[in-house]
């Protein structure tokens, strides 16, 4: 059974774009990435899946349950980490954590203590006194403390310093190894590349790529950096060219023999040819008529 399954899921805001005909399939036990810049539709997708906003078309199931008919049952089995954490003012961290556990009708005190210790979170402080990063830690504990079957994480590392980001992803991987499914949205591509097995790329409310992270990273294009001069303008298939400090760097998807011939005729003192990283691949999906959108 899939943990998340959508069929042409759509959410429109009148003339404003939301998500359009979204088709996703996330297997149980998977660590899945959902990639896109701010405004691409990631949060709208997540809020629609959780029943926080109503779909205007299509359908979706979470853990085999319909997102409209079975909303309350779904929320009991899902840990949700929003991109921005907002809490009732005047409450201490420990009270927020207890309220979150009480809403699920479970005792999470032991697990909450372990998580707070690992994230270096002071539970005696009031939430309005906390920095953005520490409020994010509170939201992480709320999402994780009940050991849910499915974790839905929306831009989870915003506000966390590098050490806390590392600890956070260690917790995520532990939960995944113990059987939890993780659906993580992010615009930080390195997070997806390091931690996820499969990913979908969303652009303007539509999924434009959906595959294993390794497959998304593979391409015929190569990143070429050459020191010296050559007749670069005679080559077809050059993209993202940058000139400076006696070097030229570009993505090349043209004929490799033609590239070698051009290099041999030029005055090249040094050369590197590598596979592009996921960020460079990602930019390809955000090009319109040769220009980045």
């Amino acid at each position: 059974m899939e943990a998340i399954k959508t069929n042409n899921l759509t959410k429109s805001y009148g003339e404003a774009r939301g998500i359009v005909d979204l088709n996703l399939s996330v297997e149980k036990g998977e660590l899945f990435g959902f990639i896109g810049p701010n405004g691409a539709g990631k949060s709208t997708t997540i809020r629609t899946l959780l029943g926080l906003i109503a779909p205007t078309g299509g359908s979706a199931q979470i853990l085999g349950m319909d997102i409209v008919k079975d909303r309350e049952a779904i929320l009991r089995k899902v840990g949700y980490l929003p991109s921005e954490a907002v809490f009732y003012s005047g409450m201490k961290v420990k009270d927020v954590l207890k309220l979150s556990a009480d809403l699920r009708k479970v005792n999470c005190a032991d697990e909450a203590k372990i998580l707070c210790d690992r994230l270096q979170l002071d539970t005696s402080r009031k939430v309005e006194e906390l920095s953005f990063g520490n409020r994010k830690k509170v939201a992480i504990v709320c999402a994780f403390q009940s050991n849910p079957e499915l974790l839905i994480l929306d831009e989870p590392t915003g506000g966390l310093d590098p050490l806390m980001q590392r600890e956070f992803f260690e917790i995520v991987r532990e939960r995944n190894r113990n059987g939890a499914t993780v659906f993580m949205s992010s615009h930080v591509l390195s997070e997806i590349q390091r931690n996820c097995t499969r990913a979908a790329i969303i652009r303007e409310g539509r999924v434009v790529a959906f595959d294993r992270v390794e497959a998304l990273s593979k391409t015929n294009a190569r990143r070429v950096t050459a020191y010296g001069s050559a007749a670069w303008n005679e080559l077809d298939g050059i993209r993202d060219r940058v000139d400076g400090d006696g070097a030229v760097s570009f993505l090349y998807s043209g004929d490799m023999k033609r590239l070698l011939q051009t290099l041999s005729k030029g005055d090249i003192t040094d050369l590197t040819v590598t596979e592009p990283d996921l960020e460079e691949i990602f930019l390809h999906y955000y090009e319109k008529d040769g220009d980045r959108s």
Side-chain angles (χ1 to χ4, degrees):
M1 180 178 70
E2 291 132 327
I4 300 174
K5 176 70 174 178
T6 71
N7 180 32
N8 295 328
L9 187 65
T10 298
K11 174 62 183 178
S12 61
Y13 300 97
E15 294 182 358
R17 172 183 46 78
I19 54 174
V20 183
D21 293 336
L22 214 68
N23 291 297
L24 290 173
S25 176
V26 180
E27 300 296 329
K28 289 194 73 174
E30 191 168 19
L31 211 170
F32 189 92
F34 196 41
I35 314 170
N38 294 331
K42 302 188 303 298
S43 293
T44 297
T45 299
I46 286 173
R47 291 169 185 159
T48 304
L49 287 173
L50 291 171
L52 302 178
I53 54 179
T56 50
S59 62
Q61 294 79 41
I62 289 183
L63 301 171
M65 296 178 284
D66 184 86
I67 62 168
V68 176
K69 298 176 182 177
D70 305 312
R71 176 175 174 270
E72 290 187 10
I74 288 171
L75 292 177
R76 284 195 292 269
K77 293 178 177 290
V78 175
Y80 169 48
L81 174 61
S83 57
E84 295 185 9
V86 180
F87 305 104
Y88 293 116
S89 61
M91 295 183 72
K92 292 182 177 180
V93 171
K94 60 184 178 182
D95 299 323
V96 172
L97 300 182
K98 186 176 185 303
L99 174 61
S100 176
D102 289 346
L103 289 172
R104 294 176 177 272
K105 299 180 180 179
V106 291
N107 185 345
C108 303
D110 291 343
E111 188 62 31
K113 185 178 186 310
I114 292 170
L115 290 167
C116 289
D117 288 344
R118 293 183 66 173
L119 295 171
Q120 300 174 22
L121 179 62
D122 183 354
T123 61
S124 65
R125 297 185 63 188
K126 290 187 177 180
V127 289
E128 63 264 29
E129 299 172 351
L130 300 179
S131 65
F132 176 67
N134 279 318
R135 291 200 303 274
K136 178 59 71 76
K137 293 178 186 179
V138 178
I140 290 169
V141 178
C142 287
F144 282 67
Q145 65 178 350
S146 64
N147 286 306
E149 291 182 41
L150 172 63
L151 287 160
I152 295 182
L153 315 175
D154 191 4
E155 300 284 358
T157 59
L160 298 181
D161 64 45
L163 288 176
M164 283 298 104
Q165 289 182 25
R166 185 170 65 181
E167 185 64 29
F168 168 76
F169 279 115
E170 183 58 36
I171 294 170
V172 168
R173 289 189 292 268
E174 287 173 8
R175 294 301 174 90
N176 183 241
R177 287 195 295 269
N178 290 331
T181 305
V182 182
F183 181 88
M184 180 175 73
S185 84
S186 181
H187 65 270
V188 183
L189 300 175
S190 59
E191 292 181 350
I192 302 298
Q193 196 159 23
R194 286 196 302 264
N195 297 287
C196 297
T197 51
R198 290 197 305 157
I201 296 175
I202 185 170
R203 167 184 166 173
E204 297 182 351
R206 297 178 184 271
V207 169
V208 295
F210 183 11
D211 210 331
R212 293 188 63 82
V213 171
E214 294 89 341
L216 289 174
S217 300
K218 287 183 179 178
T219 174
N220 291 328
R222 293 292 181 267
R223 168 60 63 181
V224 177
T225 302
Y227 289 83
S229 60
W232 308 118
N233 292 333
E234 296 180 3
L235 284 172
D236 294 325
I238 285 181
R239 198 169 78 239
D240 299 338
R241 176 175 166 175
V242 177
D243 294 83
D245 297 327
V248 58
S249 179
F250 52 84
L251 279 177
Y252 183 70
S253 56
D255 183 89
M256 194 58 68
K257 290 182 179 178
R258 184 71 183 272
L259 173 64
L260 294 174
Q261 290 169 356
T262 301
L263 290 168
S264 66
K265 293 176 182 178
D267 181 18
I268 304 299
T269 58
D270 197 4
L271 174 72
T272 60
V273 180
T274 61
E275 290 188 358
D277 61 23
L278 184 58
E279 185 161 4
E280 290 174 317
I281 306 289
F282 173 78
L283 290 175
H284 168 71
Y285 292 102
Y286 274 77
E287 292 179 346
K288 278 185 177 179
D289 301 324
D291 296 324
R292 290 180 193 172
S293 60

